[in-house]
Amino acid sequence: MTLTSIPTQQKLTFTQFLEQLPNEAGRYELVNGEIVRTLPTRQHEDIADFIADAFKNEVKRCHLNYRVSDRIVIRTLTPIETEQGRQPDVSVVDKTLWELNRNAYTAFVEPLQVAVEVVSTNWEDDYVDKLDEYQRLGIAEYWIVDYLAIASRSYLGNPKVPTIFVYQLDETGSYQRQSYQGSDLILSPTFPKLQLTVEQILNT
């Protein structure tokens, strides 16, 4: 994934970020007051689409009250309460919350049910910054999909192996992590009947 900062005259708030989003097609985030355009690879997009489709199928099959999207922007806060605008590769939101104001833009200050980030070269954003921000916001379930095994050995072990991490909020508001590799069946608190392995995702 390539990241490109778009110059602005001042550090932007989340509201200003939404007002100044470029008309040019693409994915944009607000990072430390600046608009950043993200350009994912085709494989990155394929994996995100595969997971989104699996979630959508599960929502339909089990009649769950969720909306799955790749276009939702969420307001998060850093430890020093700087507003960020994050756009997960896949988002799952309560459908009732989605339908409260269907004329609004796909921007949320409320926590998602699930956020999925497919890891790119800027892997620390997903493992450190977004992890902290999503936990702080109260996103119940957070997936990190490291299909290139690009993070450090402290996360992936030695030798490094493609891994999917699923973080779940506990009763104290802290994330508890489970890791999955190879033929492991991924256990999702949101989709308890989901039949999906790491290999299936990697082989898309």
Side-chain angles (χ1 to χ4, degrees):
M1 179 185 290
T2 302
L3 303 180
T4 305
S5 294
I6 299 175
T8 55
Q9 293 183 343
Q10 61 180 5
K11 297 293 185 181
L12 302 178
T13 66
F14 182 69
T15 299
Q16 291 168 331
F17 161 66
L18 296 178
E19 293 171 347
Q20 296 185 33
L21 277 173
N23 292 324
E24 185 179 357
R27 300 171 65 88
Y28 297 91
E29 291 193 341
L30 175 68
V31 182
N32 298 323
E34 296 183 346
I35 298 175
V36 175
R37 186 184 186 196
T38 63
L39 296 174
T41 66
R42 294 178 185 179
Q43 186 178 13
H44 182 289
E45 287 283 290
D46 287 344
I47 288 174
D49 288 347
F50 182 85
I51 294 171
D53 288 344
F55 287 173
K56 289 176 182 177
N57 290 338
E58 199 67 7
V59 168
K60 184 176 181 180
R61 186 177 70 88
C62 298
H63 306 286
L64 302 174
N65 192 47
Y66 293 126
R67 176 71 157 77
V68 181
S69 176
D70 64 350
R71 296 184 296 275
I72 292 177
V73 178
I74 55 173
R75 174 187 176 270
T76 64
L77 294 175
T78 68
I80 60 171
E81 298 194 347
T82 299
E83 289 186 313
Q84 308 276 66
R86 300 297 192 178
Q87 185 175 0
D89 291 301
V90 183
S91 297
V92 180
V93 66
D94 187 294
K95 191 175 181 181
T96 303
L97 180 61
W98 176 276
E99 293 178 343
L100 281 177
N101 186 357
R102 299 183 71 182
N103 292 322
Y105 294 108
T106 52
F108 283 84
V109 296
E110 303 88 353
L112 306 174
Q113 176 63 29
V114 183
V116 177
E117 296 288 358
V118 180
V119 177
S120 301
T121 51
N122 56 322
W123 63 269
E124 289 179 313
D125 286 354
D126 301 323
Y127 278 90
V128 180
D129 298 336
K130 292 181 182 179
L131 176 71
D132 177 77
E133 292 168 28
Y134 293 172
Q135 178 179 264
R136 192 180 301 276
L137 181 60
I139 294 177
E141 185 175 340
Y142 174 39
W143 289 32
I144 297 178
V145 182
D146 198 339
Y147 69 102
L148 294 174
I150 203 169
S152 69
R153 288 185 175 87
S154 62
Y155 291 99
L156 300 174
N158 189 14
K160 297 199 293 184
V161 177
T163 304
I164 294 177
F165 298 98
V166 176
Y167 292 81
Q168 180 184 7
L169 279 183
D170 64 16
E171 62 278 1
T172 69
S174 299
Y175 275 140
Q176 300 301 317
R177 185 181 76 181
Q178 295 291 330
S179 60
Y180 303 93
Q181 300 173 346
S183 61
D184 291 345
L185 186 68
I186 301 167
L187 301 180
S188 167
T190 301
F191 302 107
K193 297 181 180 180
L194 182 68
Q195 297 292 306
L196 189 61
T197 68
V198 177
E199 287 176 342
Q200 288 175 298
I201 294 174
L202 298 180
N203 291 333
T204 57

